[in-house]
Structures are given as structure tokens and as C-alpha cells.
């Protein structure tokens, strides 16, 4: 095992972070921080033994029965996936490796002078289960910046897309094209041992995350700007570079918003469409670029990643009809009108959560700090006070509380990023963190091809015929 890990570490190895110039560099070999890949390699043997022990002791035990309603109901609530990065609790919300959002807001390293956690630290946590040091996070920032450039043919591919092609379609197309240089695809074609799959998968995952800001920025500037992009700054963190590529890098509050946004949108356990799709496609040993492009196609659906756009459209219609500062009664009647027309209140309710989404709360606290007098923010707060009571009275939702989508669009609009079709691209940049971390662990643990059993309606009917 040790020999194979050493071999995989050398495979497609990059220069050590400490050897690079920029704010990730350190002087003297004695002070060189441990890289993420080195730490991941140390953790793999222990986790392999941990999984073996769990399967040996509990492998034949059942989670519970599967009902016909679950089969017809999108497998809602069906325990069928392993996902280590995060677990969603109905009462507490998401926990990243056991840490709540308030926990990580306090514990994860921040940029100099910043108050929001750096997403680099969250990725380290998702992959290792450990809170990284400030030095480790800065090293990861520097490594991603060094990997960020796109192959020229991918740049040309994006540039040739018509501006009428949806940003998410362009995003998925570009990520798929990165497969051209996949370390995993190359290693697999050369006969790499299964126990070493994790090495090139890790390299692809790091490249994937590192290149997403350049893809997102190029799409945004082509569709909504003049197509000209600044260079990646090797001395800046991931969110700062993304903000600069989008044209908002001079606004430190927007940069802080991106740090928070990417962190809280990064992972939401494994059963949502984008996460499950990435894991499913990855289980076929498709490389991380192919797996994540599939995730993006799922994320683009109206029932998944477009929700924050729908919230903003609904808010704009309300504002247009009711005016700048509507009364509580007017807002209440508008909500009732939406429900009575057969529509849902966008941004309210969740498949698992039964309380206010802590991701909503984190964004609300950000708004209270940075834009307390903004009319749209005030309207969102007003709806927060009114909508849950209406939904409970109407009996329309098991969870009448707001989710993450109820707030994010308002924050982006405030800072001038008002192109709603682009919002899901930012969601996609974030979601890569969770999908990539799990893909690395799936390959390290030798996860098998996903192949659940399916039944036809006729087979289900016959199965229970004559049974009570």
C-alpha cells in the first residue's frame, strides 16, 4: 500500500507549492507546509481500513424498508449513497465534515482584512475532514492560481459560442473539453493500477476547480461585456481572482460575497441532482471533467440551480405591482395570490430541511452588514416575516421556511451582477468543490459502478398482487 501511494503521488506531480513565487511561497525547506495531496495520501490507508471495518460489522444490516411511494417519488429520502463531505440534518441544516456553517465561518482561515471564510479552506476540510492552517490555505490559493490557465482551444471554443447560447450550456461544453488533457484518462489508457486511481483523479480535480474562474469569466465577458479578460493574479485567492475575471475585483465587498457564496454553495450532501449526477457518472470511471460537466447539466434544470433566478423574477414582479415600500398586508395578499394561482413561493421550502436554511441566514447576516438599507433586501426580510405564516395557514409546505435561493440573487443584483442567466454558473463553480472531493474519495476507496435495480409499473403491481 505504501509503495503504491508513493507512486501515485509522483504521478503527474506538480511543483511543490513552497517552490513558487507569490504569497503561497515560504523560505527554507524546514518551513514548507504539507500540501493537500500529501495529507490526502496519508489519510487514504486509514480510511480504507475504516470502511472495511464498517462493512465487516454492519454490512448485512438494513437502513429500513423501501416503499413503493419512494420509488415513484424520485427516491426521496431513500438511503442509498455514500457521501463523506457533508450531511444534511433536517433541523440543523448542512454540516461540512461535522461543522455547521457558523462553525466554519469562525474556524476557516480568511483573507488578510477579510471576514468571510476562504473556499480553499472549505475544500481542504471536505477532502480531509480537517481545518487547515492559514499557510496551507494560502498554498492552495497559489496552486490553483498556477493551474488556472485554459488550453487555447478551450478559449477558442468558448469564444465561438453565440451569445444567445445559455451560459450554462457554454459552461458544460468548456468543462467537457478539458477532458482533452485529463490525467486520469491518460493514466487509465496506459493501464494504471486500480489502487492508484486516486492520484490522477486528484490532479484532474485540482485542475478542474482551478480553471473554473477562467471559464466563468470568459463566458461572462463574452456574453455581457467586451470579451477582454485580465490575467490571473498568482498572489490573490480564488474568490478574488474570480471576482476580477467577472469585472468586480475592485469591490472588496463583492469579493467577500464570493468567498461566502462559494463556501456555502459548495456541497449539500450527495442526493441532490448535481452531486448525485457527478458521483454516478464518475462511478463509470469517467474522469472528473466528464463527471462534473454532467453535474452542470443537472444543475441547469429549473428544479435545481435556476431557483435563485426564479426568486428574483418573482420579487421584481412583486415590486413592480406593489411599489417600493409595500405594506405587510399588501405583501401578504400578493403571497396568497401566488398560491391561489397554483404556483409555489420561490425560495421557500426544502426537500429535507424543516427550519430556516442556515445558508439563507448567513447571506441575511451578510446583507445586514453590507446593504441594510437596500430596498430589495428589505423586501426579502419582509417576506421572511410573512411568508412562513401564510404557507402554514395554507398547508402548502412541510417546511415553510426560506432556503438558500431566497437571498442569493438579491445580493448579486445589489453589486451589479444583474444577469440572472449567469447565476447558475456561479452555483456551478461552487458545487465543483463538493463533487470533486467525493470523486477523489470514491477512487481512493475503490467505489464500484452504481447500478440500482429498477422496476416497471406492471412489475410493481404484480409484485404486490394479493398482498395486504
Amino acid at each position: 500500500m505504501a509503495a503504491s501511494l508513493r507512486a501515485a503521488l509522483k504521478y503527474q506531480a506538480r511543483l511543490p507549492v513552497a517552490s513558487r513565487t507569490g504569497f503561497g511561497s515560504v523560505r527554507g525547506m524546514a518551513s514548507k507546509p504539507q500540501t493537500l495531496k500529501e495529507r490526502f495520501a496519508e489519510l487514504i490507508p486509514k480510511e480504507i481500513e475504516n470502511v472495511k471495518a464498517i462493512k465487516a460489522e454492519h454490512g448485512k444490516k438494513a437502513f429500513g424498508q423501501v416503499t413503493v411511494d419512494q420509488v415513484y417519488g424520485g427516491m426521496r429520502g431513500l438511503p442509498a449513497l455514500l457521501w463523506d463531505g457533508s450531511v444534511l440534518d433536517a433541523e440543523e441544516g448542512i454540516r461540512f465534515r461535522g461543522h455547521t456553517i457558523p462553525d466554519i465561518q469562525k474556524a476557516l482561515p480568511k483573507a488578510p482584512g477579510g471576514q468571510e471564510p476562504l473556499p480553499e479552506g472549505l475544500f481542504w476540510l471536505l477532502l480531509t475532514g480537517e481545518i487547515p492552517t492559514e499557510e496551507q490555505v494560502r498554498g492552495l490559493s497559489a496552486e490553483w492560481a498556477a493551474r488556472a490557465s485554459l488550453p487555447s482551444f478551450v478559449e477558442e471554443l468558448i469564444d465561438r459560442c453565440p451569445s444567445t447560447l445559455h451560459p450554462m450550456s457554454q459552461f458544460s461544453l468548456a468543462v467537457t473539453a478539458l477532458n482533452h488533457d485529463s490525467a486520469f484518462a491518460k493514466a487509465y489508457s496506459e493501464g494504471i493500477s486500480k489502487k492508484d486511481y486516486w492520484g490522477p483523479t486528484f490532479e484532474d480535480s485540482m485542475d478542474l476547480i482551478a480553471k473554473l474562474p477562467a471559464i466563468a469569466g470568459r463566458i461572462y465577458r463574452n456574453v455581457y461585456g467586451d470579451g477582454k479578460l485580465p490575467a490571473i493574479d498568482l498572489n490573490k485567492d480564488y474568490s478574488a481572482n474570480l471576482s476580477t475575471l467577472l469585472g468586480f475585483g475592485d469591490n472588496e465587498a463583492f469579493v467577500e460575497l464570493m468567498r461566502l457564496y462559494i463556501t456555502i454553495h459548495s456541497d449539500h450532501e450527495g442526493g441532490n441532482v448535481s452531486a448525485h449526477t457527478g458521483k454516478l457518472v464518475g462511478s463509470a470511471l469517467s474522469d472528473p471533467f466528464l463527471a462534473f460537466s454532467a453535474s452542470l447539466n443537472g444543475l441547469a434544470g429549473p428544479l435545481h440551480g435556476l431557483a435563485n433566478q426564479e426568486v428574483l423574477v418573482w420579487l421584481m414582479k412583486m415590486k413592480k405591482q406593489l411599489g417600493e415600500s409595500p405594506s405587510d398586508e399588501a405583501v401578504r395578499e400578493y403571497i396568497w395570490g401566488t398560491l391561489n394561482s397554483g404556483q409555489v413561493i420561490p425560495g421557500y421550502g426544502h426537500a429535507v430541511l424543516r427550519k430556516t436554511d442556515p445558508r439563507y441566514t448567513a447571506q441575511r447576516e451578510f446583507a445586514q452588514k453590507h446593504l441594510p438599507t437596500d430596498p430589495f433586501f428589505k423586501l426579502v426580510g419582509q417576506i421572511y416575516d410573512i411568508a412562513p405564516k401564510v404557507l402554514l395557514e395554507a398547508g402548502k409546505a412541510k417546511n415553510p421556511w426560506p432556503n438558500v435561493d431566497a437571498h442569493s440573487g438579491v445580493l448579486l443584483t445589489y453589486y451589479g451582477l444583474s444577469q440572472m442567466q449567469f447565476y447558475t454558473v456561479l452555483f456551478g463553480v461552487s458545487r465543483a468543490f463538493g463533487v470533486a472531493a467525493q470523486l477523489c474519495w470514491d477512487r481512493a476507496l475503490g467505489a464500484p459502478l452504481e447500478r440500482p435495480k429498477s422496476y416497471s409499473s406492471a412489475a410493481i403491481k404484480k409484485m404486490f398482487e394479493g398482498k395486504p
Side-chain angles (χ1 to χ4, degrees):
M1 175 62 72
S4 65
L5 290 176
R6 286 195 296 272
L9 270 172
K10 292 178 181 177
Y11 187 88
Q12 290 284 321
R14 284 359 190 227
L15 287 174
V17 172
S19 70
R20 299 192 185 101
T21 57
F23 85 118
S25 64
V26 290
R27 292 184 179 180
M29 294 303 292
S31 59
K32 175 186 172 184
Q34 186 178 40
T35 67
L36 179 56
K37 188 172 186 179
E38 289 167 346
R39 182 58 185 144
F40 184 46
E42 289 180 349
L43 294 171
I44 290 172
K46 298 176 185 177
E47 186 59 18
I48 289 174
E49 293 306 313
N50 179 48
V51 171
K52 284 181 179 178
I54 292 172
K55 291 172 68 176
E57 184 175 357
H58 306 293
K60 303 303 180 183
K61 297 176 183 176
F63 280 100
Q65 65 177 3
V66 177
T67 66
V68 173
D69 279 342
Q70 285 177 306
V71 173
Y72 279 102
M75 300 186 290
R76 186 66 56 88
L78 188 68
L81 292 172
L82 177 68
W83 195 271
D84 286 312
S86 63
V87 175
L88 182 57
D89 182 86
E91 300 298 322
E92 287 186 312
I94 197 68
R95 279 184 174 268
F96 301 108
R97 291 286 188 166
H99 298 272
T100 65
I101 286 178
D103 289 341
I104 63 170
Q105 286 181 293
K106 293 177 183 177
L108 289 180
K110 301 165 181 62
Q115 296 180 308
E116 300 299 337
L118 289 168
E120 292 91 325
L122 195 279
F123 184 67
W124 190 292
L125 174 64
L126 290 175
L127 195 63
T128 69
E130 300 167 349
I131 299 291
T133 65
E134 183 176 335
E135 192 175 28
Q136 287 169 329
V137 165
R138 289 187 178 184
L140 190 52
S141 294
E143 183 166 6
W144 282 349
R147 293 173 180 252
S149 63
L150 299 177
S152 57
F153 83 92
V154 175
E155 293 180 338
E156 183 178 349
L157 191 65
I158 299 171
D159 292 345
R160 284 181 175 272
C161 288
S163 60
T164 52
L165 183 63
H166 196 286
M168 281 299 286
S169 299
Q170 297 187 45
F171 197 19
S172 174
L173 180 68
V175 170
T176 299
L178 291 175
N179 153 267
H180 181 273
D181 297 325
S182 167
F184 180 83
K186 183 175 185 294
Y188 187 83
S189 70
E190 294 173 351
I192 187 174
S193 171
K194 183 176 181 180
K195 63 181 178 296
D196 296 331
Y197 282 174
W198 73 269
T201 299
F202 177 89
E203 295 297 338
D204 280 353
S205 295
M206 291 286 280
D207 280 343
L208 169 67
I209 293 172
K211 296 179 189 305
L212 294 182
I215 294 174
R218 199 169 198 91
I219 293 169
Y220 185 79
R221 298 257 185 167
N222 283 352
V223 176
Y224 306 111
D226 59 8
K228 298 178 181 178
L229 273 83
I232 291 285
D233 190 332
L234 297 177
N235 296 309
K236 288 188 176 180
D237 64 83
Y238 189 81
S239 304
N241 270 315
L242 173 61
S243 300
T244 298
L245 289 167
L246 295 174
F248 299 90
D250 292 335
N251 189 328
E252 185 56 33
F254 182 87
V255 176
E256 280 282 271
L257 174 61
M258 284 296 95
R259 290 167 182 149
L260 175 65
Y261 182 99
I262 295 172
T263 297
I264 65 177
H265 284 82
S266 63
D267 204 32
H268 216 231
E269 72 173 30
N272 64 75
V273 171
S274 55
H276 185 197
T277 301
K279 183 179 176 69
L280 171 64
V281 175
S283 78
L285 297 186
S286 300
D287 64 66
F289 304 112
L290 296 180
F292 189 63
S293 65
S295 294
L296 291 174
N297 291 332
L299 189 65
L303 294 183
H304 191 12
L306 295 189
N308 59 359
Q309 181 177 326
E310 293 178 344
V311 169
L312 200 55
V313 169
W314 184 71
L315 288 172
M316 288 178 171
K317 288 180 180 178
M318 180 188 291
K319 184 180 178 182
K320 183 177 181 180
Q321 180 174 321
L322 303 183
E324 189 75 21
S325 301
S327 67
D328 287 354
E329 185 57 35
V331 171
R332 184 177 292 104
E333 289 180 4
Y334 190 90
I335 293 171
W336 271 113
T338 299
L339 293 174
N340 290 335
S341 68
Q343 301 176 57
V344 299
I345 306 303
Y348 278 74
H350 191 275
V352 179
L353 284 169
R354 294 298 174 260
K355 286 190 176 180
T356 297
D357 190 335
R359 299 173 299 173
Y360 172 93
T361 303
Q363 292 180 107
R364 178 173 173 79
E365 290 170 350
F366 182 94
Q368 288 171 329
K369 187 186 305 179
H370 294 279
L371 47 140
T373 61
D374 177 64
F376 257 141
F377 169 58
K378 287 184 175 181
L379 182 58
V380 167
Q382 197 173 6
I383 295 168
Y384 180 46
D385 292 332
I386 297 168
K389 299 173 186 175
V390 173
L391 289 167
L392 285 172
E393 186 178 343
K396 293 289 185 180
K398 294 179 180 178
N399 170 25
W401 306 106
N403 59 52
V404 66
D405 299 308
H407 219 310
S408 55
V410 170
L411 293 174
L412 295 170
T413 300
Y414 175 81
Y415 289 108
L417 208 166
S418 57
Q419 298 86 358
M420 290 184 286
Q421 282 197 325
F422 190 78
Y423 291 174
T424 315
V425 173
L426 293 178
F427 195 164
V429 172
S430 311
R431 188 47 56 92
F433 286 54
V435 173
Q438 189 59 46
L439 285 173
C440 289
W441 272 113
D442 283 351
R443 300 291 75 78
L445 297 174
L449 176 72
E450 277 193 30
R451 182 56 171 89
K453 174 63 179 169
S454 63
Y455 291 92
S456 66
S457 290
I460 292 172
K461 187 176 180 181
K462 184 177 180 179
M463 189 183 304
F464 295 104
E465 221 167 23
K467 297 181 181 179

